[in-house]
Amino acid sequence: MKRLLTGLQPSGELTLGSFIGGIKQSVKFQDEYESFIFVPDLHAITVPQDPLLLKERIKKNVALYLACGIDPNKNIIYLQSENLYHTNLSWILECHTYMGEASRMTQFKDKSKRYDNVSVGLFTYPILMAADILLYDADFVPVGIDQKQHVELARDLAGRFNNKYGTTFKLPEPLIPKIGAKIMDLQNPTKKMSKSSEDIKGLIFLLDNEDVIRKKIMSAVTDSDNKVYFDPENKPGISNLLTIYSALSDLDIKQVEEKFKNYNYGNLKKEVADIVIEKILEIQKKYHEYMDSGLVDEVLNKGLKIVQEIAQNKYNEILKKVGLGRI
Ligand code: TYM
């Protein structure tokens, strides 16, 4: 059975973008593939974090995974920081990564502009991500478009390692959703909806209440054309709303365009708000149940046992090939 693996950083509250680009595909494929979903908490500290908030968000992430439809009986769910093999492998991979290729990562270029002091961890972050993926021989990595370059780096590193030491790693493939690979900020629709944005008016958080969601969608930035059709380049705001509707309904973009072609922007926004609220309230109901139960710890304990064993075997194989240790 092919393996699928993904994770969402607890660096901020999860958004509608995180759900559509990151979680939804894992839910869709959980019956078809052996599925791993983890919390990359070590990635979160590549930028400054408040320890108490971080701890709380780690638990919230897991409860949200479950509430979004990740079935704990079909997925192995765990925390990155609890399995030390991730960082061990990351070091070995760092020693096989060229400065030039690491310097080409566009997310580092963007994120490093936001901080006065940029950590070395922010620079090496894609290599830790490669370790997360390669440690488990994942075939597919469901991600939004912003993470595609990082999965490609993982693939390059796997290929380089295999060439040097003999076949060791699978070459992972990114699984990018056809619709919703990049949900845009509602206030700035040429920019990704990002959980770490400072202006939260353009973000829908999975834990926002109904009134807040409606208000944010009703005040989404659009254009003055007043015609509803899909054209991301010239009509980014409207196209983003159509994309959100499409991702949350069973309709493709053409069908959504057809449905709304005679709507004015106000009525379109109202229907988009309705479908977003319906989905998010459904998630929130389950989320509260899971937060109040012992289920989060239960699935994490079970997941950790499984991944530690898989990772230890893989890591021993790697040590041997590289000539490290005494095995
Ligand atoms: P992160 O936490 O930034 O985002 C989690 C997932 O959500 C997707 N995503 C979006 N998709 C569409 N539109 C958006 N506005 C949007 N915002 C976020 C992201 O593409 C991602 O799929 N480095 C990763 C976490 C990670 C990881 C891994 C992922 C660490 N190790 C191994 C997969 C495999 C990250 O920061 O994603």
Side-chain angles (χ1 to χ4, degrees), residues 293-307:
S293 74
L295 188 64
V296 169
D297 279 325
E298 210 178 285
V299 297
L300 289 177
N301 290 339
K302 184 174 148 210
L304 180 62
K305 262 202 191 138
I306 301 172
V307 292

Side-chain angles (χ1 to χ4, degrees), residues 5-11 14-23 38-40 43 61 80 86 107 111 125-126 128-133 141-148 150-151 177 180-185 191-195:
L5 177 145
T6 201
L8 294 94
Q9 279 196 60
S11 51
L14 297 187
T15 68
L16 187 63
S18 322
F19 172 67
I20 294 174
I23 305 181
F38 70 108
V39 181
H43 275 101
N61 261 35
Q80 182 192 41
H86 289 243
Q107 196 173 73
K111 280 196 180 173
Y125 147 140
L128 177 59
M129 179 163 163
D132 299 335
I133 299 168
V141 184
V143 282
I145 200 84
D146 61 316
Q147 296 296 326
K148 183 167 177 259
H150 293 160
V151 181
K182 191 174 183 183
I183 299 298
M184 299 302 192
D185 186 292
K191 198 180 126 241
K192 187 187 83 161
M193 183 184 286
S194 163
K195 54 177 144 31

Side-chain angles (χ1 to χ4, degrees), residues 2 12 16 28 78 83 91 112 156 190 219-220 238 285 327:
K2 298 266 190 198
L16 187 63
K28 181 171 157 203
Y78 54 102
N83 187 357
W91 174 255
S112 56
D156 290 347
T190 54
S219 45
I238 289 297
K285 191 164 164 263
I327 310 164

Side-chain angles (χ1 to χ4, degrees), residues 52-312:
L52 286 178
L53 272 181
L54 177 60
K55 190 153 280 310
E56 197 182 294
R57 283 200 303 257
I58 291 170
K59 181 175 178 192
K60 281 169 140 183
N61 261 35
V62 178
L64 278 171
Y65 292 172
L66 300 171
C68 288
I70 295 289
D71 181 339
N73 296 315
K74 296 178 185 160
N75 287 265
I76 300 163
I77 305 172
Y78 54 102
L79 303 188
Q80 182 192 41
S81 62
E82 289 183 346
N83 187 357
L84 306 183
Y85 294 106
H86 289 243
T87 37
N88 284 13
L89 176 57
S90 183
W91 174 255
I92 295 178
L93 293 176
E94 276 180 39
C95 296
H96 293 79
T97 307
Y98 307 135
M99 284 298 288
E101 67 191 343
S103 309
R104 281 196 289 278
M105 296 296 120
T106 54
Q107 196 173 73
F108 173 74
K109 290 186 199 167
D110 288 348
K111 280 196 180 173
S112 56
K113 283 187 205 135
R114 289 190 225 153
Y115 302 94
D116 291 333
N117 289 311
V118 175
S119 74
V120 175
L122 189 65
F123 182 68
T124 56
Y125 147 140
I127 308 171
L128 177 59
M129 179 163 163
D132 299 335
I133 299 168
L134 301 182
L135 194 51
Y136 301 102
D137 288 313
D139 296 279
F140 298 114
V141 184
V143 282
I145 200 84
D146 61 316
Q147 296 296 326
K148 183 167 177 259
Q149 193 186 28
H150 293 160
V151 181
E152 283 165 358
L153 176 71
R155 197 180 162 86
D156 290 347
L157 294 180
R160 181 172 312 148
F161 195 99
N162 290 350
N163 275 339
K164 185 162 180 193
Y165 301 105
T167 304
T168 310
F169 295 123
K170 279 229 176 117
L171 304 190
E173 254 180 64
L175 268 190
I176 314 281
K178 283 198 191 76
I179 296 164
K182 191 174 183 183
I183 299 298
M184 299 302 192
D185 186 292
L186 297 173
Q187 286 300 313
N188 185 355
T190 54
K191 198 180 126 241
K192 187 187 83 161
M193 183 184 286
S194 163
K195 54 177 144 31
S196 49
S197 290
E198 271 167 23
D199 183 4
I200 61 165
K201 284 206 298 292
L203 320 179
I204 307 272
F205 293 110
L206 293 181
L207 298 177
D208 272 345
N209 74 38
E210 184 172 346
D211 292 345
V212 169
I213 298 172
R214 195 169 291 284
K215 208 161 158 196
K216 284 177 176 173
I217 294 180
M218 293 311 291
S219 45
V221 167
T222 51
D223 54 61
S224 53
D225 178 35
N226 227 1
K227 284 197 197 85
V228 177
Y229 60 95
F230 187 73
D231 179 356
E233 202 149 301
N234 299 307
K235 294 170 73 69
I238 289 297
S239 303
N240 192 35
L241 294 173
L242 295 175
T243 302
I244 292 172
Y245 194 94
S246 171
L248 298 183
S249 65
D250 288 330
L251 305 176
D252 63 27
I253 283 287
K254 277 265 153 284
Q255 292 167 315
V256 174
E257 246 186 339
E258 184 58 29
K259 176 177 164 73
F260 291 119
K261 72 175 184 224
N262 295 322
Y263 276 55
N264 63 31
Y265 288 180
N267 289 338
L268 167 70
K269 286 176 174 175
K270 194 182 158 300
E271 291 229 9
V272 174
D274 287 345
I275 199 167
V276 171
I277 289 168
E278 189 189 328
K279 184 72 212 171
I280 287 189
L281 291 187
E282 184 192 311
I283 292 172
Q284 286 181 6
K285 191 164 164 263
K286 294 190 193 138
Y287 164 81
H288 291 297
E289 273 170 35
Y290 296 136
M291 280 300 270
D292 295 341
S293 74
L295 188 64
V296 169
D297 279 325
E298 210 178 285
V299 297
L300 289 177
N301 290 339
K302 184 174 148 210
L304 180 62
K305 262 202 191 138
I306 301 172
V307 292
Q308 263 176 337
E309 197 184 322
I310 300 173
Q312 185 179 20

